[in-house]
Structures are given as C-alpha cells and as structure tokens.
Amino acid sequence: MRTLISNGHLIDPLSGRNGKFDIIIEDGKISEIGQNLEITNGDIIDAQGKYVVPGLVDAHCHLRDPGFEYKEDIESGTRSAAVGGFTSIACMPNTNPVIDNQTVVKYILNKAKQDGAVNVYPIGAITKGQKGEELSEIGELKFAGVVAISDDGKPVKSSSLMKKAMQYASMFDTMIISHSEDLELSDEGVMNEGYMSTVLGLKGIPSAAESIAIAREIILAEYTNSPVHIAHVSTEMSVELIRLAKKRGVRVTAETCPHYFALTDEACEGFNTNAKVNPPLRSRKDVDAVIEGLKDGTIDIIATDHAPHHIDEKNVEFNIASSGIVGFETALPLAITKLVKTGVLTLEQLVLKMSVNPSRMLGLNKGSLEVGKSADITIFDADEEYIVDTDKFESKSKNSPFNGFKLSGRVYYTIVDGQVVVREKVLFK
Amino acid sequence: MFRGDVMVFKSKDLLGLKELSAEDIMNIIDTAKTMKYVIKSNNKKTAHLQGKSIVTLFYENSTRTRLSFELASKYMSSSSANISASSSSVAKGETLIDTGKTIDMMGTDVIIIRHPMSGAPHLLAKNVKASVINAGDGMNEHPTQALLDMFTIVERKGSLKGLKVAIVGDIYHSRVARSNIWGMSKLGAEISVAGPATLIPPGLENTGIKVFNTVQEALIDADVVMGLRIQLERQKKGLFPTIREYSRFFGIDEKRLKLAKEDALLMHPGPVNRGVELSTSVVDCDQSFINEQVTNGVAVRMALLYLLTRRGPNEDIN
C-alpha cells in the first residue's frame, strides 16, 4: 500500500526542507521525498494549501489509565491526541497503580498497541508510589520502555533524593522531568498569588514556589552533570533562571504549555474551575516572559499537560476542584493563533517546539521527515478559523477554559506509521 | 410604610458588593432605614415575608450573623429553617449543588449561605432557582456586613462620598474588608488600610486604595475607623510573632484614635478581642458604634430579604 501526499508545503526543520515537496509512504515508512511525485495506484492525499510537518510529539500528558478511566483512558486519550495532530505522546505516571514498576509499563504499552490511535510512551515515576521517599526501579523501568522519569503532580521534596535520582538515572540515560514546586510555599494555594487572588479571595500560590524549585533542579543538574527537563514553566523568574543555566552550559531543557502563553490568572474570574491548573495561570508579566522565552529559545518545548478531569470534579467549589486542563485538541491552534499569527515564532520554529525538540528530549526516533523513517505526519491548515466547542472533543473530559475561543489552525490529517488516523478532520480509528 | 417607590432588585442573588451597583447599594440602605423603625417598635412584626420560605445553610459556625438573619426573617413573618453543615448531609459527602437543589425543590424562596470556600455562594446561585444571599464565603466577601457598615456610616454622616475610611488589621483573610473595599469605593469613599505586611493581600493597591504598614498613617484625619478581628490562630501560622506585638503596632487605643477626626466613627464587625485590636476604652467610648452596627445588621438583612423576595415567587417548581 502506497500513499502520496502531494501539493503540500513541507516543513521539516532537521533536513531544512521548507517548501513544496511531495512524500510517498510505503509500508508505514517514508519511501520518497521530492517534487511532483506520482503514484499509479494507492491513496492520494491532496495537501494543497496546507502544511505537512513531522507528526507532533507531546512530552507531557495524562492518560489516566490505569485507575481513573472515568476521566480518560488510553483509547479516548489517544483519539483526542490524534485529532489534535499528535502522533506520539508521553504519559505521566500518576496513574493508579503508579507507573513505578515494569508491570504497569507493559500494561500501558500493550493497551496502547491494541486500542491506541497514536504512539504512546510511558514516563516512569522517580520514586516508588510518587511518595518522594525511595527511588523506583529506574533501570528496570527503562528496560521495560519508559522514555523518562518524573513524579509529575508531586515534586520530589528532598533535595538529597533528587540529587541521587539525577546521578542514578543518568547511568541509564534516562531523562528526569521535574515538576518544580516548593509545596511549603504553595501552602494549599489554589491560584496564582496576585491581584486576582486578592479580588477573588482565594489563597494564592506565589510564583516563587515554582522558581525556587527550578533553581534547585538547575543547581543539582550542574552539580551532578546530569540532564534535567523542567515541566510546565509558567513564571518570569523561572524563564530567567533557565536562560542563565543554559548560558552556563547546564544540561537543562524546558517546556511550557499553551495555557501559560494564552491565558492570565484573569481567566479564574467568576471562580471558573476550568481555569484551575497547577502551576496556576499567572500574571501578564509572566505570560509575556514565557512568550519571550519561547522566542529566544530558552523554552524548547510546547507540551500540552493534557489533564482530563470529570465534570463532577470541576463543578464544585473552586478550592476543592481538581487542577488541570485538557490540551490535545487545542494545543496546535492555540500555538498558531497566539505565537505564529502574532509573529513570535515562525511555523518552522513551532515545529521544532512541538515535534523535533520533544522527540529529542525523550530520545525518540521521531520529529523528522526522512526517507526510511516511520511515516508520522501531521497536515494542517494554518489559516482556517473555528470556534472551540468542548462538547465536540474526543477526550472523555471537557475541562477546558478555551471553550468558545476563536482560533486559527485546523488539523486535517494525522498519519501514524503510515496509517491515516485522521482524514479531512475526521477520525478513522 | 415605604416612601415612594422601592426599586425592584435587578439580580436574583446577593453574592457580593463587587457585583452590585452604587444604585443597588443605596437602595438597600434606604430600605434599611425604614426597616429600622420596625426593630425599634413595640410590635416587631410585618407581613413583608408572609408566605415566603427562608433557609439558612451554614457551613461555618456563626452566632451573630445567623441570629441576625433569623430575626430579620421572623420580624417579617417568613417561614424559616436552619441547616448546619455538621448536622446535614454534607457529612455524608453530598455536594453543595445537590444540597442546594434539595432545598430549592422544597419551595424555598431565599437560601442564605455561609461557606468556608470563596465562590461557594456563586456556585449555589447558578444551580438553584431560589435567591441566594452570601452570608460570608471564605476570604471573598461578606456583603451584608459591609452593607450594615455603610448603613451605619450613612446614618451618621449622610453619605460616604469623600469620607476617609481606615480599615485596620488582618486584611488578607478578611471578607469583611474586601466587601467594604468594593462597596465603599463605589459610594465614593477614600479607603486606607493598615496591617502587618504578612496580612496584606498582594496587589491590593490596584483596587485604588491606600495601603500602609503603620496604623498611624492610616488613621490620620479618618472619618471612619474600622478595626478587624484578628484570628488568634494566625499567629501559629507564623504571620505575626505574638498577640502582644500585634497589639503594640496595630492595636487601636485612645491615643491612636485621636489621630482621626474628632467626630470619627469607630466600628468593628465583632466579636472584638478586647485589648488586642481595640482597647477596652475605645470599644466603650462615645465614638464607638459597634453596638449600633448590630441593630443595623438586622435592618439591612430585613431590607435585603424584602427586596429579593419582591422579584416574585420561586417559579417553575416541577
């Protein structure tokens, strides 16, 4: 079976191709890239007026499976990812049971193979049960298939344990992804500490709670000469610290999420629980710094932190509402609307941050369109406008503060290992 | 007994003064003036709430606010009932929305809610047909307290326009302070606050008020001085070193009160920690209107219940 993608505008940062190129896919792999290609029989995709890019890679999501299937499961989560243009996603270990042993890793990989619409790469826990007490079996997790380790959602409180985790994990070339938060400073806050928390009378989380923890990770990474990846960067000081660390040659990479460049804490107005997320939505100054960090390369990756929650967990008092935003189906349009259309990033830079860099950080053989590589391809229209309707999400959960937003950018095709999962905006899986 | 036309309240609920217009606030205060005659009379019974059903739903302990609401509704002949969180289905894990809907479906016209979490009344209001009155939510608002404060000031000073109001104490945790800041700003007062830096919420000056770290600066030339109750457990959380030091730097005594105008009103939402935020001598001095505030609280709550129930019955119960 051969597939031809013709007439599209190909953007492949690694090869430097940025223009009219056709692609032929054969047996799940890219077999030819060139101009005016033709096939005699097979599937022809007309990508006229659209961009053809390496399949998007999400370095940070929550599939809730096993344990919280009422929020999301591997099937619904990967369908949601496919509609959003993601072909590979890395899922966090705060499941039940936690991904801290090879049995859970194998369960996820098997279920993804069976029910998944896109490639799924589990992230293991740094500590057993994400309790922050003892290291999990990092070597065994690595051999079972995890692409990184993280206690996401819960920071590793002990600096000493984090130091040991970095030293131990680098022995297995395993990246540590840090959810950086000083819980004592957060002190049960529920939104960003600032004018808006004062107006709403809600307990604030100071931006320092994040930045202090990031400073620690950077210092430990330099001290142990280990790599570290900083998850969901949201504050001005955090961006500045990472910038400084990179200048010093610390092996640090960083991600942010669409909600940290698209929204401020004003979205919490009216006790809007769909805007409750951790780290919290920040001030305008922080948002501007995150955007600047994306522009100057301090922030390498845009991840979704797709965090589904059931309506019953959001339709409650703000204090007890679950934190999190579903992100797969709005990430690319938000990035195009808020970063590309505004001139912050070129589309090529966006592909770097949503495909090439996350793939490299996780050590995946993805993020490029070369002959011989598996055909993971996303095709989108960058100009088509639409209104976000959360009821139409493929995800089981609808907890998004972007409902009703008018955005530019629509995914037309998502191709995973040569298989067309999304065709003309419609999911076929 | 009402002079002229009383305006019908536009919104279904009273959630906060942030959401209320200056016109609405004055409407409540004007109505409260009339209601005060009822409280002062020998026959404390009117028919304004006859046939109306009022429920207080309190998720926090309260004596004075609850009693004030209860008497307000009884003076106006309503059927009323009280629910406390400890004795309710909350203990069984029922959600606020489900509890609210249950009360709603029993034909309740007004639900008065106090809740430890900010925004709980807003959530309830969205999910019930009954009018919701916020009797204090977390650190957000305590609108009826601020309304009675403003009523007390208007009674003595005629209006709030151009008045200097000093609010002293734990602003961070105070829903009373927040409601007063929103409400009094709308009525044209100039507000200063003072308190330990650890108890001043961030960005407060963005609301257009002045923030001081000494009580003296806030008190100079004030027309109204309002002390706030300091919760003794805040000291254990490390927000200030000792009650003694708090009182030394932020307590209001006769000497400090003299910094304010001669005819300044001294107010406090109560209950007062005597000798901590206010010295006993100022609590009981001629400038103190703390007891008057209590009476005015009932009048303001009567006014509100009257205005909210004039919207018509709780319709469409099916």
Side-chain angles (χ1 to χ4, degrees):
Chain A
M1 170 75 181
R2 280 152 63 100
T3 305
L4 170 67
I5 303 170
S6 68
N7 297 323
H9 182 125
L10 190 142
I11 301 177
D12 179 38
L14 286 186
S15 68
R17 288 190 188 96
N18 191 339
K20 289 269 176 198
F21 288 93
D22 297 344
I23 293 178
I24 295 175
I25 301 166
E26 206 168 341
D27 301 327
K29 297 199 181 310
I30 295 172
S31 63
E32 206 177 338
I33 300 173
Q35 271 148 348
N36 305 315
L37 299 182
E38 281 178 27
I39 54 172
T40 45
N41 55 26
D43 185 11
I44 296 176
I45 293 170
D46 182 10
Q48 178 70 43
K50 298 182 181 64
Y51 292 95
V52 179
V53 303
L56 304 184
V57 178
D58 188 14
H60 189 149
C61 72
H62 300 267
L63 295 179
R64 308 297 190 207
D65 187 355
F68 306 100
E69 294 86 350
Y70 66 96
K71 300 177 195 240
E72 193 83 286
D73 59 25
I74 287 169
E75 187 178 353
S76 65
T78 55
R79 287 168 62 94
S80 176
V83 169
F86 292 92
T87 54
S88 296
I89 59 178
C91 57
M92 285 294 176
N94 57 342
T95 46
N96 185 18
V98 168
I99 312 178
D100 63 358
N101 63 78
Q102 56 171 329
T103 311
V104 186
V105 177
K106 283 176 182 160
Y107 162 83
I108 290 169
L109 291 174
N110 283 336
K111 198 163 177 205
K113 202 170 182 183
Q114 202 179 305
D115 302 333
V118 305
N119 300 309
V120 175
Y121 298 94
I123 295 168
I126 299 172
T127 64
K128 293 190 188 99
Q130 291 190 300
K131 290 198 170 82
E133 290 162 5
E134 299 170 6
L135 294 182
S136 50
E137 294 171 330
I138 296 167
E140 201 157 285
L141 284 168
K142 172 79 176 181
F143 280 94
V146 305
V147 292
I149 54 170
S150 178
D151 273 3
D152 186 57
K154 293 178 180 172
V156 177
K157 198 176 167 193
S158 159
S159 303
S160 168
L161 189 61
M162 185 50 111
K163 170 175 166 278
K164 288 165 197 148
M166 285 183 183
Q167 289 170 324
Y168 192 84
S170 57
M171 175 170 69
F172 294 102
D173 277 332
T174 301
M175 179 67 86
I176 288 183
I177 301 177
S178 165
H179 170 117
S180 305
E181 180 181 3
D182 182 326
L183 287 177
E184 281 190 12
L185 275 173
S186 297
D187 194 18
E188 290 165 9
V190 293
M191 68 173 291
N192 182 49
E193 183 170 85
Y195 175 65
M196 278 311 292
S197 65
T198 294
V199 168
L200 293 171
L202 291 169
K203 194 156 171 22
I205 301 173
S207 59
E210 173 182 311
S211 311
I212 280 181
I214 288 177
R216 181 193 79 172
E217 311 304 47
I218 287 168
I219 292 165
L220 289 175
E222 182 177 271
Y223 186 77
T224 60
N225 189 27
S226 308
V228 68
H229 176 72
I230 309 295
H232 40 54
V233 171
S234 73
T235 85
E236 191 254 346
M237 179 61 110
S238 302
V239 176
E240 188 59 30
L241 288 167
I242 294 161
R243 191 177 283 132
L244 172 74
K246 286 189 165 185
K247 259 186 213 148
R248 286 175 67 88
V250 180
R251 296 161 69 193
V252 59
T253 51
E255 80 193 22
T256 192
C257 313
H259 37 275
Y260 300 119
F261 60 70
L263 294 175
T264 66
D265 54 5
E266 284 179 26
C268 298
E269 182 82 65
F271 303 97
N272 178 9
T273 56
N274 280 330
K276 185 179 177 188
V277 60
N278 189 24
L281 302 175
R282 303 288 188 183
S283 70
R284 171 51 56 191
K285 183 184 83 167
D286 295 308
V287 170
D288 290 344
V290 165
I291 290 171
E292 187 55 37
L294 283 162
K295 192 180 169 81
D296 72 12
T298 302
I299 299 174
D300 312 90
I301 291 170
I302 297 169
T304 66
D305 196 1
H306 178 80
H309 288 296
H310 193 271
I311 183 155
D312 287 346
E313 296 164 320
K314 285 289 191 182
N315 202 13
V316 292
E317 296 88 326
F318 197 93
N319 285 50
I320 54 172
S322 297
S323 293
I325 291 173
V326 286
F328 286 140
E329 294 171 63
T330 47
L332 181 65
L334 282 167
I336 289 172
T337 308
K338 302 287 181 184
L339 301 175
V340 177
K341 297 286 179 193
T342 54
V344 175
L345 298 180
T346 62
L347 272 174
E348 184 170 346
Q349 287 168 320
L350 186 66
V351 173
L352 277 166
K353 292 187 197 295
M354 294 188 75
S355 178
V356 181
N357 294 345
S359 169
R360 184 183 291 153
M361 187 275 289
L362 295 167
L364 310 179
N365 186 21
K366 304 286 184 187
S368 81
L369 298 175
E370 282 293 347
V371 171
K373 282 220 163 193
S374 52
D376 287 357
I377 300 169
T378 302
I379 302 174
F380 61 90
D381 184 325
D383 299 318
E384 186 173 322
E385 291 183 338
Y386 80 113
I387 308 280
V388 176
D389 180 357
T390 52
D391 285 340
K392 295 199 174 125
F393 281 0
E394 286 293 333
S395 171
K396 280 187 188 176
S397 295
K398 318 295 176 192
N399 50 305
S400 168
F402 299 111
N403 192 34
F405 272 50
K406 188 177 174 188
L407 300 177
S408 295
R410 297 229 67 184
V411 172
Y412 269 71
Y413 289 84
T414 305
I415 301 169
V416 182
D417 286 326
Q419 200 188 346
V420 181
V421 181
V422 173
R423 177 184 291 274
E424 289 288 335
K425 300 193 266 192
V426 180
L427 190 66
F428 278 83
K429 180 92 183 178
Chain B
M1 66 183 289
F2 291 99
R3 60 188 161 77
D5 288 325
V6 175
M7 285 183 294
V8 176
F9 218 59
K10 286 181 210 76
S11 55
K12 173 172 87 78
D13 315 291
L14 177 80
L15 300 176
L17 298 193
K18 210 175 356 195
E19 291 89 353
L20 226 53
S21 67
E23 194 186 24
D24 283 334
I25 294 172
M26 281 316 297
N27 183 18
I28 296 165
I29 289 175
D30 284 341
T31 312
K33 282 179 194 163
T34 319
M35 291 301 181
K36 199 166 174 182
Y37 291 116
V38 178
I39 303 168
K40 298 268 185 195
S41 80
N42 273 327
N43 182 12
K44 298 188 227 321
K45 206 70 171 174
T46 76
H48 291 120
L49 296 184
Q50 198 151 32
K52 301 292 180 191
S53 162
I54 316 276
V55 171
T56 63
L57 172 61
F58 273 45
Y59 288 82
E60 265 184 0
N61 290 333
S62 158
T63 310
R64 58 177 62 210
T65 304
R66 187 169 204 154
L67 183 61
S68 182
F69 269 113
E70 208 173 324
L71 289 176
S73 49
K74 286 194 167 141
Y75 290 163
M76 295 194 292
S77 311
S78 79
S79 314
S80 55
N82 305 310
I83 306 167
S84 295
S86 52
S87 62
S88 76
S89 47
V90 179
K92 297 172 200 158
E94 190 177 52
T95 66
L96 175 61
I97 294 175
D98 286 344
T99 304
K101 282 188 172 157
T102 303
I103 298 169
D104 207 29
M105 296 314 276
M106 291 181 184
T108 306
D109 295 289
V110 183
I111 302 174
I112 298 159
I113 180 176
R114 168 167 287 193
H115 200 287
M117 296 178 196
S118 301
H122 307 65
L123 182 70
L124 179 67
K126 266 185 237 161
N127 288 281
V128 296
K129 293 191 187 83
S131 291
V132 172
I133 296 178
N134 180 359
D137 64 324
M139 307 189 294
N140 181 40
E141 286 222 39
H142 191 351
T144 58
Q145 176 69 44
L147 285 166
L148 77 88
D149 292 338
M150 289 188 279
F151 174 36
T152 306
I153 296 167
V154 169
E155 261 193 329
R156 295 288 148 183
K157 302 280 181 190
S159 122
L160 272 129
K161 198 159 181 60
L163 291 193
K164 289 181 143 179
V165 179
I167 305 176
V168 179
D170 178 1
I171 313 292
Y172 185 93
H173 296 95
S174 179
R175 52 197 178 204
V176 175
R178 280 183 179 75
S179 280
N180 268 312
I181 288 168
W182 304 128
M184 291 183 182
S185 301
K186 284 175 184 174
L187 296 191
E190 289 174 33
I191 302 166
S192 301
V193 304
T198 44
L199 294 174
I200 300 287
L204 194 60
E205 57 287 349
N206 296 355
T207 60
I209 68 171
K210 292 189 186 119
V211 180
F212 296 109
N213 282 139
T214 75
V215 63
Q216 289 88 345
E217 288 170 283
L219 256 48
I220 290 170
D221 277 339
D223 296 286
V224 177
V225 176
M226 185 182 292
L228 297 174
R229 182 177 167 78
I230 187 95
Q231 302 278 354
L232 304 182
E233 65 265 24
R234 308 289 180 219
Q235 184 265 328
K236 295 209 172 58
K237 285 222 60 170
L239 290 160
F240 56 90
T242 57
I243 290 291
R244 182 172 163 271
E245 175 149 319
Y246 176 83
S247 183
R248 176 170 169 189
F249 288 96
F250 293 98
I252 297 168
D253 56 13
E254 283 173 308
K255 194 175 154 211
R256 285 179 180 162
L257 190 58
K258 285 207 171 72
L259 294 169
K261 288 201 181 113
E262 224 171 297
D263 59 349
L265 313 179
L266 178 75
M267 301 171 72
H268 189 290
V272 179
N273 294 308
R274 283 175 183 258
V276 181
E277 61 260 10
L278 301 180
S279 71
T280 284
S281 58
V282 302
V283 172
D284 301 326
C285 76
D286 289 345
Q287 283 172 262
S288 169
F289 285 82
I290 297 171
N291 293 328
E292 191 74 18
Q293 285 175 270
V294 176
T295 309
N296 287 348
V298 180
V300 154
R301 288 169 182 124
M302 288 172 77
L304 254 181
L305 287 169
Y306 169 70
L307 291 170
L308 284 173
T309 49
R310 269 172 59 101
R311 287 171 50 253
N314 178 354
E315 286 157 1
D316 309 323
I317 289 189
N318 45 40

